[in-house]
Amino acid sequence: MTSLLADSSKPFMAERKSYAGNRFVHVKNPHLDSMDEDILYHLDLGTKTHNLPAMFGDIKFVCVGGSPNRMKAFAQFMHKELGLKGDGENIKDICAGTDRYCMYKVGLVLSISHGMGIPSISIMLHELIKLLHHAKCCDVTIIRIGTSGGLGIEPGSVVVTDTAVDSFFKPQFEQVILDNVVVRSTELDKDLAEELLNCSKEIPDFPTLIGHTMCTYDFYEGQGRLDGALCSFSHEKKLEYLKRAYNAGVRNIEMESTVFAAMCGLCGLKGKISSSLVFGPFRSPHPPFPLPLLEGTKPIIMVCLAIYLQ
Ligand code: R2B
């Protein structure tokens, strides 16, 4: 681990330094300024009930993933790895007052669950971004460490996303606002993706690749599964679609990346300020092939953190 950190720290730090000057997480909502109180309903937090800068002002890394248990396990893992005082096993869920999401703060790291699919992660991200804004956080890197299904890649691989694409392989997210459709970009920070890939090369038996991640609205028909309650296509048709996806650069499929990339990018959690990545271990979409998430992703997260904390 030591040599790995020494070798890979320089470009990462140089990149981070260049973020200076435009570093705060921002919201793009003129109405917020005139509100007496901002209640983050689904996180059970608020600007009047909680001192958000004191609670969260030092956050530098936000890791999000679908399941509450997994994000608790990740927080416990981070607690141990960072050598923090206290009992990591009894780590406290900051959002315990609601059963929508869970949230753990471990040093400079926030670990949050987002549930499944675009609507669920979108609600969480609205409130998380406002939380980071109210807390005056700066230089925040957000990483989704969720699961995904691999496409034509070795089982157990970690895909570091360069671009999130929709079901038509386009790098965009269509947000319906009232009765308008607004198209938002889903570009992610490619430099950090390369940096993470380089780090992963130094970890034995850790297959990692950079690729596009396709985000669908549905787990069954949208991802070509033949075993849902509804299915109107043949096995051949499914394979033809998945081959086209592969040829378009897609290496894994999940259900959150496009809105994650779009929202984080618009609010300063992307590009020159920080990086938004989506990566997860292979879980074959046909049929599911569960692998423990942390085994696949913890070395990368650790490398990011250790480099930052140097
Ligand atoms: C991956 O796994 C979940 C579906 O099982 C979904 O949240 C996703 O993106």
Side-chain angles (χ1 to χ4, degrees), residues 20-281:
N22 185 17
R23 311 175 313 159
F24 288 98
V25 177
H26 45 263
V27 292
K28 293 196 163 178
N29 176 1
H31 303 287
L32 285 182
D33 281 345
S34 55
M35 280 167 38
D36 186 37
E37 180 179 12
D38 190 6
I39 301 173
L40 310 175
Y41 297 100
H42 303 86
L43 303 181
D44 193 34
L45 293 168
T47 50
K48 275 205 167 162
T49 47
H50 298 82
N51 183 344
L52 299 179
M55 287 173 76
F56 299 101
D58 60 345
I59 291 295
K60 294 295 174 200
F61 286 89
V62 179
C63 294
V64 305
S67 116
N69 283 343
R70 223 189 308 124
M71 296 323 286
K72 182 176 184 185
F74 176 73
Q76 287 169 333
F77 163 77
M78 290 307 310
H79 190 278
K80 205 164 145 206
E81 292 296 321
L82 293 172
L84 300 179
K85 286 190 194 136
D87 184 4
E89 290 307 305
N90 288 330
I91 199 162
K92 192 172 148 272
D93 178 4
I94 298 168
C95 300
T98 165
D99 57 4
R100 298 296 186 186
Y101 306 103
C102 73
M103 178 191 285
Y104 302 91
K105 184 174 183 300
V106 186
L108 310 181
V109 185
L110 204 57
S111 174
I112 311 174
S113 68
H114 59 60
M116 287 191 284
I118 288 172
S120 181
I121 193 173
S122 155
I123 295 168
M124 188 281 279
L125 285 174
H126 271 281
E127 296 181 16
L128 169 68
I129 290 166
K130 290 196 295 173
L131 166 67
L132 297 172
H133 171 72
H134 292 311
K136 302 189 172 32
C137 295
C138 62
D139 291 339
V140 178
T141 296
I142 182 164
I143 304 176
R144 178 174 123 76
I145 54 171
T147 51
S148 63
L151 202 54
I153 59 174
E154 198 186 326
S157 302
V158 171
V159 177
V160 180
T161 307
D162 56 3
T163 306
V165 298
D166 65 13
S167 300
F168 307 93
F169 322 133
K170 288 192 185 149
Q172 64 181 41
F173 173 65
E174 292 191 353
Q175 174 71 53
V176 178
I177 301 178
L178 305 181
D179 55 355
N180 296 309
V181 177
V182 173
V183 179
R184 291 177 171 163
S185 162
T186 53
E187 290 287 322
L188 292 163
D189 186 326
K190 295 192 175 47
D191 289 343
L192 184 55
E194 285 291 342
E195 192 68 25
L196 289 176
L197 184 71
N198 286 338
C199 293
S200 75
K201 282 182 190 153
E202 306 192 26
I203 303 167
D205 303 321
F206 192 64
T208 306
L209 59 135
I210 291 184
H212 297 353
T213 294
M214 181 164 80
C215 179
T216 65
Y217 281 95
D218 158 60
F219 184 74
Y220 287 97
E221 292 173 286
Q223 296 187 13
R225 282 189 172 79
L226 302 173
D227 57 348
L230 300 171
C231 184
S232 54
F233 48 83
S234 63
H235 184 64
E236 290 68 37
K237 195 82 190 143
K238 155 193 152 172
L239 287 183
E240 185 265 328
Y241 176 68
L242 292 179
K243 256 184 215 155
R244 275 196 287 126
Y246 185 88
N247 290 338
V250 173
R251 293 296 177 270
N252 66 336
I253 308 175
E254 45 79 276
M255 299 174 61
E256 293 86 16
S257 57
T258 49
V259 72
F260 174 85
M263 287 184 71
C264 294
L266 282 170
C267 296
L269 284 155
K270 174 192 157 179
K272 291 200 169 139
I273 302 168
S274 62
S275 299
S276 314
L277 300 181
V278 182
F279 55 88

